[in-house]
């Protein structure tokens, strides 16, 4: 091992601490009490379904967990025959 | 009034059984009437760690199913007369643990002992949820390592949701027992520090148990470490933790091995044993 690398060696414990803090913040939100993300997902779909027929197979859901903000994308394909509905309802939570 | 304590962790191999045996023995050494209960049905080991494996006749499942009376299944410790073991079954599985049966056994134990210490199996399934279900206090055993801390966090969530206390809207008192701790590695930044784990899990600290060769020696001998190596740092740490469990206010120090002189180093092992 070269001497410089030895002195520049980064402690691993702070990395562990940071990873845990980010991870647990998410896991507590998802597991603790009500499952916010899935509740939102269900309620958003229910609202859309009240106005248009939603085909469950044509719903795309993506979840992205960021450090500070998580995004939930719900893409619902709406049949084009309906006059007043937009083609795609895009919800972000 | 009897106290039902669950020793739990989520993750396996962190020291639940060792801690159950050591805390149980430490409380008994302090004059309390104690029973340690193995909930690891199918994979029992508390009997082995307590050195009672050859004396098991009936077990927790036999009592739950009415095949034996509680006093028939209880094994008195040979070293401490006020310490008893209720072993788990080795041949059944955890589905044999019914909430009604466990409740009945726990309430009968409450009439006989001051402390009922339930050794939880790893995982978050039936064995673990049954071990914590009727507890008054929880001890969360954690190593200063990412997967153990994560699993402890999950267990803390379950203690606040799936216990009788939680269902009645009461708060479950939880204590952190940091085990297999290596202060030298923590100081070098190679291991999470006590403060890191405490900050992340945010439950009060019951004790820090140093990593120690005496633990393996104790399980080899089938004796709780507070009995097999009473002067070791690890035994002293368990004794202090047991006193805190009783509500005593003791300043937390990180126990270290007593320094041996040259003669002690040369003859240390035999002289101390």
């Amino acid at each position: 091992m070269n001497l410089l690398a030895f002195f520049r060696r980064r402690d691993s414990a702070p990395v562990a601490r940071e990873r845990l803090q980010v991870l647990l913040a998410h896991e507590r939100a998802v597991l603790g009490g009500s499952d916010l993300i899935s509740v939102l997902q269900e309620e958003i779909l229910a609202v859309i379904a009240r106005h248009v027929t939603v085909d469950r197979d044509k719903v795309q859901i993506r979840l992205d967990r960021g450090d500070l903000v998580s995004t939930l994308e719900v893409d619902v394909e709406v049949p084009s025959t309906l006059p007043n509905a937009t083609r795609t309802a895009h919800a972000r939570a | 009034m009897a106290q039902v304590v669950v020793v739990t962790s989520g993750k396996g191999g962190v020291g639940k059984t060792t801690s159950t045996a050591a805390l149980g023995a430490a409380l008994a050494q302090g004059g309390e009437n104690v029973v340690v209960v193995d909930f690891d049905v199918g994979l029992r080991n508390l009997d082995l760690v307590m050195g009672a494996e050859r004396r098991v006749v009936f077990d927790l499942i036999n009592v739950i199913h009415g095949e034996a009376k509680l006093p028939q299944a209880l094994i008195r410790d040979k070293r401490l007369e006020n310490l008893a073991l209720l072993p788990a079954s080795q041949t059944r599985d955890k589905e044999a643990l019914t909430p009604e049966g466990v409740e009945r056994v726990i309430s009968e134990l409450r009439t006989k002992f001051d402390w009922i210490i339930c050794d939880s199996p790893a995982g978050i399934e039936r064995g673990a949820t049954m071990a914590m279900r009727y507890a008054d206090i929880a001890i969360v055993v954690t190593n200063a390592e990412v997967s153990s801390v994560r699993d402890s966090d999950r267990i803390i969530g379950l203690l606040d949701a799936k216990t009788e206390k939680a269902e009645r809207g009461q708060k479950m008192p939880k204590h952190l027992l940091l085990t297999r701790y290596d202060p030298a590695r923590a100081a070098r930044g190679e291991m999470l520090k006590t403060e890191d784990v405490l900050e992340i899990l945010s439950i009060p600290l019951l004790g820090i148990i140093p990593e120690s060769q005496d633990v393996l020696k104790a399980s080899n001998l089938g004796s709780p470490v507070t009995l097999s190596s009473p002067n070791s740092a690890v035994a002293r740490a368990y004794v202090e933790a047991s006193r805190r469990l009783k509500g005593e206010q003791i300043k937390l120090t990180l126990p270290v091995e007593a320094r041996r002189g040259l003669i002690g180093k040369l003859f240390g092992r035999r002289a101390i044993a």
Side-chain angles (χ1 to χ4, degrees), chain A residues 9 11-14 16-17 19-21 23-24 27-28 31, chain B residues 145-146 149-150 153-154 188-192 196 199-201:
Chain A
R9 181 189 57 153
D11 291 339
S12 59
R17 178 194 150 97
R19 288 176 61 219
L20 271 170
Q21 279 171 331
L23 173 74
L24 294 181
E27 289 191 342
R28 283 169 191 160
L31 296 166
Chain B
E145 179 271 329
V146 286
V149 175
R150 180 199 213 173
D153 192 74
R154 184 92 165 86
R188 288 200 298 270
E190 296 170 8
M191 185 184 242
L192 286 166
D196 295 338
E199 190 194 324
I200 291 166
L201 295 177

Side-chain angles (χ1 to χ4, degrees), chain B residues 131-264:
Chain B
M132 68 171 67
R133 175 126 199 104
Y134 302 100
D136 302 312
I137 311 168
I139 296 177
V140 180
V141 181
T142 307
N143 295 166
E145 179 271 329
V146 286
S147 52
S148 174
V149 175
R150 180 199 213 173
D151 292 359
S152 292
D153 192 74
R154 184 92 165 86
I155 280 291
I156 289 169
L158 290 179
L159 287 165
D160 287 333
K162 288 206 163 182
T163 53
E164 212 196 32
K165 234 181 155 98
E167 285 170 7
R168 282 201 304 255
Q170 294 170 332
K171 196 135 182 63
M172 168 74 76
K174 296 171 287 281
H175 300 276
L176 180 75
L177 191 64
L178 195 58
T179 52
R180 314 195 67 165
Y181 194 68
D182 187 336
R185 296 198 74 184
R188 288 200 298 270
E190 296 170 8
M191 185 184 242
L192 286 166
K193 288 185 167 57
T194 310
E195 308 87 76
D196 295 338
V197 181
L198 282 173
E199 190 194 324
I200 291 166
L201 295 177
S202 53
I203 57 172
L205 186 62
L206 184 70
I208 305 169
I209 311 298
E211 174 79 64
S212 164
Q213 299 185 355
D214 293 301
V215 170
L216 179 59
K217 183 181 148 199
S219 81
N220 286 344
L221 298 173
S223 167
V225 72
T226 53
L227 289 173
S228 61
S229 310
N231 298 317
S232 63
V234 63
R236 284 183 283 135
Y238 274 121
V239 169
E240 281 190 10
S242 77
R243 290 172 58 194
R244 277 187 211 102
L245 196 59
K246 286 199 283 184
E248 286 182 44
Q249 301 287 323
I250 309 169
K251 192 170 169 286
L252 203 131
T253 51
L254 189 62
V256 287
E257 292 296 342
R259 281 188 182 276
R260 291 180 190 156
L262 181 64
I263 303 292

